[in-house]
Amino acid sequence: MTDNRKFIDEALKAHNVYRSRHQVSALKHDKEISSIAQRWADHLASTGTFQHSDNRKYKGENLGENIAMKWQSGPGDYTGQEVANQWYSEVKQYSFGQGGSSGTGHFTQVVWKSSKLLGIGRARGRDGRWIVVANYFPAGNFIGRYNENVLPAKDGRTSLIGQDDSDVSKDSSSFFSDNRLVVKPTNAAENRVVSRTTKTVTEGFGAKKRTKKIVTETIMAADGSKKTTTTETVTTGN
């Protein structure tokens, strides 16, 4: 069974970096909601399916939900920061003050002002797919409430964590400690990317929108050996 404690911590802190940027209070982790999310992630991973849950109740109310998938041809991880970045990246398509935008439901739920609690689960299927399910309470994405709950970034920034010089320096990897993003230098001599191709495919619209990003990367190790991996991430509208 996957140990998700570090993953949960990373995901929560990444959510709250973005929420602070958009002028809303931090989410708190809730163990019961994480159990709900984990059960659905386990179900999706074991059945090879990818869809929202129809049964996600907490204190008699429906939970908000974001789901994501990543497939890797070899060993690897799906970090809390990575999945939060994946959802937040929809900010580029959001029109603030317009009452909501199609295809941005993951982003809006991440920064939804009225949401206070987060639960999140992660599972991996036998086919190499990582599945992540996040549930939010109270739920977000209510028609007529976008303008009051989805606020613009206070400094105008919409960059992803780890991809902006003000978050981390170049040629470094990042990890979270407490509520601060800490820079951890990498050893450039260990691995070097010699080729990378990216393909993005989008199907459907609105709630049925499905976006697939496929990255094929060849890495050369210090001893001259090469390894090629393929990573596939999928998001679906909500």
Side-chain angles (χ1 to χ4, degrees):
M1 183 176 179
T2 303
D3 185 350
N4 283 335
R5 287 173 295 182
K6 179 182 178 182
F7 169 79
I8 291 171
D9 186 54
E10 288 177 342
L12 177 65
K13 289 172 181 174
H15 272 72
N16 287 336
V17 167
Y18 288 132
R19 289 177 67 85
S20 175
R21 180 186 292 181
H22 287 267
Q23 311 175 69
V24 299
S25 61
L27 294 171
K28 294 182 179 180
H29 176 246
D30 186 274
K31 290 183 178 180
E32 182 178 345
I33 298 176
S34 274
S35 294
I36 295 169
Q38 186 62 52
R39 284 195 296 271
W40 189 244
D42 289 338
H43 169 77
L44 295 179
S46 64
T47 59
T49 54
F50 187 64
Q51 61 190 40
H52 286 284
S53 171
D54 293 326
N55 183 23
R56 49 180 196 267
K57 294 280 189 179
Y58 177 76
K59 295 185 176 180
E61 296 185 27
N62 284 326
L63 291 162
E65 183 173 88
N66 278 349
I67 61 176
M69 179 178 73
K70 175 181 177 179
W71 180 84
Q72 289 181 300
S73 58
D77 199 4
Y78 198 11
T79 69
Q81 176 179 314
E82 185 178 358
V83 73
N85 280 357
Q86 188 176 340
W87 290 329
Y88 182 79
S89 66
E90 295 174 352
V91 66
K92 300 292 187 181
Q93 285 75 52
Y94 189 77
S95 298
F96 291 93
Q98 302 300 312
S101 301
S102 177
T104 59
H106 302 95
F107 156 67
T108 53
Q109 177 60 89
V110 167
V111 301
W112 194 264
K113 182 178 180 179
S114 297
S115 294
K116 303 299 181 185
L117 301 177
L118 170 71
I120 191 165
R122 180 184 64 164
R124 194 173 196 186
R126 293 181 179 179
D127 59 357
R129 294 188 318 149
W130 284 104
I131 297 290
V132 172
V133 176
N135 289 137
Y136 306 81
F137 181 84
N141 293 345
F142 283 95
I143 295 174
R145 300 183 187 175
Y146 282 88
N147 291 350
E148 64 193 80
N149 281 284
V150 183
L151 307 180
K154 56 189 175 184
D155 56 5
R157 289 170 52 214
T158 56
S159 56
L160 302 181
I161 297 171
Q163 296 183 5
D164 184 280
D165 288 346
S166 60
D167 284 325
V168 292
S169 64
K170 295 180 180 179
D171 300 321
S172 65
S173 60
S174 60
F175 64 97
F176 282 104
S177 175
D178 298 323
N179 286 322
R180 296 168 295 169
L181 190 64
V182 181
V183 175
K184 181 180 180 181
T186 58
N187 184 351
E190 290 181 356
N191 297 298
R192 180 167 62 90
V193 177
V194 294
S195 68
R196 179 188 291 118
T197 60
T198 302
K199 180 180 180 181
T200 302
V201 179
T202 301
E203 302 172 342
F205 300 93
K208 295 184 178 180
K209 181 179 178 182
R210 182 182 176 94
T211 302
K212 180 187 297 184
K213 182 178 180 181
I214 304 170
V215 178
T216 301
E217 189 173 73
T218 299
I219 298 174
M220 179 181 290
D223 61 3
S225 62
K226 294 182 180 180
K227 179 180 179 181
T228 300
T229 62
T230 299
T231 301
E232 179 179 306
T233 56
V234 179
T235 56
T236 181
N238 61 354

